[in-house]
Amino acid sequence: MVVTKKNIETKERPQKASKPTIKFEGVCKIYKGNFPALEDINLTICEGEFVSVVGHSGSGKSTLLKLIYAEELPTSGEVYFNENLLNQISKRNLPFHRRNIGTIFQDFKLLPKKNVFENVAYALEVAGILDEEINENVPQILDIVGLGDKMHKYPHQLSGGEQQRVVIARALVHAPTLIIADEPTGNLDPRSSLEIVDLLMKINDLGTTVILASHDKDIVDKVNRRVLVLDNGRVVADQIKGKYKSV
Amino acid sequence: MFLTISRTFKEALKNFTRNGWLSIATVSILTMSLFVISVFFVVTLAVDDVLQNVQERVNISIYFKSDVSVENINAAKADLEKFKEIKSVEYVSKEQALESFKNSSIAKPIIMQALDEIGGNPLWPSLAVKTTDSRQYELISEYVKKSNFSTDVSSVNYAQNKENIDKLNKIIITIRKIGIVLGLLFTIISLLVTFNAIRITIYTHKNEVEIMRLVGASNSFIRLPFIFEGVIYGILSSVVSMILLVISIKLINIYLPSVTLVSNLMSIYSGNFWSLLGGQILLGSLLGIIGSLIAMRKYLKV
């Protein structure tokens, strides 16, 4: 259930043409009283892929991601996660769905009154994981993101890059099948940004599917993997191996 | 399950201490409500106690003329015992009446002397009637006056007792009414106050709740801390209220020792300690839980 350093390292890189993790079929999303945020989206993201979603702000990137972690439901069309339809996900099942997904945001969303260890442990506590397991797994994950020595610091004592690595550790600690990163480098300097992207690529190399939303050209070019370009709520380009493309 | 409860309870404790003054204010108001309600409860019990005592002690006395035979009195006794409203009928002979008179406090030496002068026994034999309900006294008195032994009866004594009993009955009813109105009022105020406290906790935890949901916390894990916070308010308030209650009773005993009603307050308090505490904890927690449920319904969308 929980990732340990050992089983991350032994996970094999998945083969191409593996089963779809996410599938959008004719998805539209219209927020109340607004123009459509997403229109007629059809796409498939397979296990082990690294997908960069690019586009201007307001192009629908965040909405696309929110549909995946079921923060929003589509107005029409279907969203599948691991072949389960998310349209009618019940309040009861939503937490279990979320535990399959690690989320990373521009504004970190760390708990300010908890230290690094507690912040990461929190994701396990809410899932009812036993203390012994938490005490064993959290330090290992923090080692992986390079914060093993800062376990007892509080978020305000860390740099932006370090805080984001705590968030990544928290996202990873569930051993999710998917990591969603919505502008994870938005608040970071270029060097920290590259470190974060390196870390995401390393996580992807170990088998976890990653979806990265960004409008940073350098970042997307560095990743040099599948790029999905959104404009005005539509997919205008989908390249298997691509660079950032301005529209 | 146990893990969830212990973790969310710890979270609730943290929220409680972190809110500081707000928690104190909330507990104060809740304490006041519980205190007012329990004061009326204790006072009602005390007055009830007195009333019961009076009812036990007083009864209708049917005095017979001195020359009426024991057989006739026993016949009247049997007649009265047929009423199911009558709890007991006791025959008090002339001699017994004299005996108890001599033992009673009104028997001053000068009166005793006068009795000796007269020689013989000037008292009447009587029947002491106890009923299940003081309101029956008048009916029984009426019945006695119309009955076939009415010619043997010298007098029926109940009026004085009736007045006392009616007064006590009225006092109890008034106390209960005031207690219910004030209790309801304070209950509503405490509901509003706990609602407000939890609302503010929810507000200060807005970001945390969002994070909890993102990392896959279940609804119960998100909601339980707020419910427990309400329970903590309730339990703490009832303990404080119990302490206040015992202090007030002690003070009353020191400054108003002469009031007969009050002398047995302490024994009522200690006799009902657990039910008082339990009732308050139950009511306090219930108010806390309802307050937080309303707050969550309005402000916590999960």
Side-chain angles (χ1 to χ4, degrees), chain B residues 36-212:
Chain B
V36 166
I37 292 168
S38 46
V39 161
F40 277 97
F41 183 69
V42 168
V43 171
T44 311
L45 278 183
V47 178
D48 228 15
D49 207 40
V50 173
L51 182 70
Q52 214 139 54
N53 258 328
V54 173
Q55 260 170 343
E56 275 297 309
R57 227 177 315 135
V58 297
N59 43 49
I60 314 174
S61 293
I62 303 167
Y63 294 99
F64 290 85
K65 290 168 184 156
S66 319
D67 55 350
V68 176
S69 69
V70 178
E71 286 77 38
N72 284 354
I73 295 175
N74 273 336
K77 181 174 181 255
D79 196 25
L80 285 171
E81 274 169 343
K82 280 185 280 187
F83 288 90
K84 62 174 183 291
E85 291 87 355
I86 291 174
K87 211 154 68 177
S88 70
V89 183
E90 205 186 331
Y91 170 60
V92 183
S93 68
K94 271 161 80 165
E95 292 71 29
Q96 283 167 329
L98 184 64
E99 197 60 34
S100 67
F101 179 77
K102 277 179 180 165
N103 291 333
S104 75
S105 53
I106 41 169
K108 300 206 171 71
I110 188 154
I111 297 173
M112 297 310 293
Q113 227 173 346
L115 273 177
D116 284 341
E117 297 275 317
I118 296 165
N121 188 345
L123 294 176
W124 299 295
S126 64
L127 283 177
V129 180
K130 282 183 184 169
T131 61
T132 49
D133 188 338
S134 56
R135 279 167 294 190
Q136 305 293 333
Y137 286 8
E138 200 156 352
L139 286 173
I140 290 162
S141 151
E142 289 298 313
Y143 173 77
V144 169
K145 277 175 195 156
K146 284 178 200 151
S147 67
N148 49 17
F149 54 88
S150 62
T151 48
D152 296 340
V153 172
S154 138
S155 70
V156 177
N157 177 3
Y158 81 95
Q160 207 190 349
N161 299 334
K162 181 178 176 285
E163 247 167 57
N164 285 337
I165 288 162
D166 284 354
K167 233 187 267 169
L168 281 173
N169 261 330
K170 262 187 203 147
I171 289 173
I172 283 195
I173 289 166
T174 317
I175 288 174
R176 281 213 182 114
K177 270 185 195 158
I178 297 172
I180 286 169
V181 171
L182 274 181
L184 269 178
L185 195 74
F186 275 92
T187 303
I188 291 165
I189 292 171
S190 2
L191 260 183
L192 286 175
V193 168
T194 42
F195 159 77
N196 184 54
I198 307 279
R199 183 181 68 101
I200 287 170
T201 311
I202 289 173
Y203 187 76
T204 54
H205 286 253
K206 226 172 188 166
N207 291 331
E208 289 183 31
V209 169
E210 188 196 349
I211 294 165
M212 287 169 100

Side-chain angles (χ1 to χ4, degrees), chain B residues 23-40 179 182-191 193 233-234 236-242 244-245 248 280 283-284 287:
Chain B
S23 301
I24 292 173
T26 308
V27 168
S28 310
I29 299 283
L30 250 176
T31 301
M32 236 172 42
S33 314
L34 293 175
F35 180 68
V36 166
I37 292 168
S38 46
V39 161
F40 277 97
L182 274 181
L184 269 178
L185 195 74
F186 275 92
T187 303
I188 291 165
I189 292 171
S190 2
L191 260 183
V193 168
Y233 288 140
L236 211 64
S237 307
S238 44
V239 171
V240 177
S241 157
M242 282 304 271
L244 279 184
L245 206 58
S248 341
Q280 288 192 52
L283 181 65
L287 287 177

Side-chain angles (χ1 to χ4, degrees), chain A residues 172-214:
Chain A
L172 271 181
V173 78
H174 277 304
T177 51
L178 171 68
I179 295 272
I180 291 177
D182 191 355
E183 301 277 6
T185 60
N187 279 343
L188 303 180
D189 59 79
R191 213 185 118 196
S192 307
S193 300
L194 288 178
E195 279 173 17
I196 294 297
V197 170
D198 275 339
L199 193 54
L200 287 175
M201 289 175 76
K202 197 167 123 195
I203 291 162
N204 177 247
D205 281 341
L206 297 171
T208 308
T209 313
V210 175
I211 301 176
L212 165 72
S214 180

